[in-house]
Amino acid sequence: RYQFQWWALSLINARPYGDKKKGADTGIDGYIYFPLSKTDFGKIIVSVKSGKVSVKDIRDLVGVMERENAKIGIFITLEKPTKNMKTEAIKQGFFIHPLSSKQYQRLQIITIEELLNGKRPEIPQVSPDVFIKKASSGIENIDFDY
């Protein structure tokens, strides 16, 4: 079970929670960090399920996202998501990145089959150009002194 979980996390370059140590289930299987600003990072929580899934799993992930102050949640499943799961994920709305103004679905469901076919979750990728553009426009005062 853990080997499957770690393999699934590797497909999206997520870091296993607890550095691959088995322990109490916190509802977090993995995480990804992304830049919100020059000095702050946002958190993405990843949950992996290899068995039967239901809308309860999505609601549990929403609770973990709130508890951990995560901007985005990714639910990886071996099974196809139900209509209720998709509806619950859509209800979570969007995260709008403060630098790029691009919006990302807050809770994304992706199957192993989709991952194997090349699909990836939408994760904020901020290039250094965004920092330079924001600084030069005066919208955000970013100190580039190191």
Side-chain angles (χ1 to χ4, degrees):
R1 175 178 157 210
Y2 289 102
Q3 291 297 324
F4 174 79
Q5 180 177 297
W6 299 330
W7 171 75
L9 292 170
S10 75
L11 294 175
I12 62 167
N13 297 320
R15 183 181 180 112
Y17 179 74
D19 292 323
K20 297 185 178 182
K21 294 177 185 169
K22 300 174 190 174
D25 187 2
T26 60
I28 303 170
D29 295 320
Y31 55 92
I32 300 169
Y33 288 99
F34 62 93
L36 288 173
S37 70
K38 184 173 181 262
T39 59
D40 194 19
F41 289 87
K43 184 189 304 185
I44 298 172
I45 300 293
V46 183
S47 178
V48 179
K49 298 293 181 203
S50 59
K52 185 165 176 54
V53 293
S54 73
V55 70
K56 179 188 175 302
D57 297 310
I58 300 301
R59 291 183 183 135
D60 288 347
L61 180 53
V62 170
V64 173
M65 289 169 61
E66 290 172 4
R67 181 187 78 216
E68 298 293 321
N69 194 27
K71 305 298 183 194
I72 297 173
I74 299 172
F75 187 82
I76 299 175
T77 174
L78 191 57
E79 302 291 322
K80 290 191 185 288
T82 66
K83 181 180 177 183
N84 288 342
M85 290 170 67
K86 292 177 185 178
T87 301
E88 191 67 29
I90 290 168
K91 284 183 188 178
Q92 302 314 308
F94 292 90
F95 164 71
I96 299 173
H97 196 282
L99 293 176
S100 67
S101 298
K102 185 173 178 191
Q103 66 179 14
Y104 301 87
Q105 190 171 337
R106 273 202 76 228
L107 203 155
Q108 302 173 36
I109 302 172
I110 190 163
T111 66
I112 291 294
E113 181 179 0
E114 290 172 323
L115 287 170
L116 292 176
N117 287 326
K119 182 176 178 181
R120 293 295 177 262
E122 292 190 22
I123 297 172
Q125 303 292 324
V126 180
S127 74
D129 294 343
V130 173
F131 289 106
I132 293 166
K133 183 178 178 184
K134 289 282 186 179
S136 65
S137 68
I139 294 172
E140 185 174 334
N141 184 12
I142 299 175
D143 180 11
F144 285 96
D145 293 335
Y146 293 96

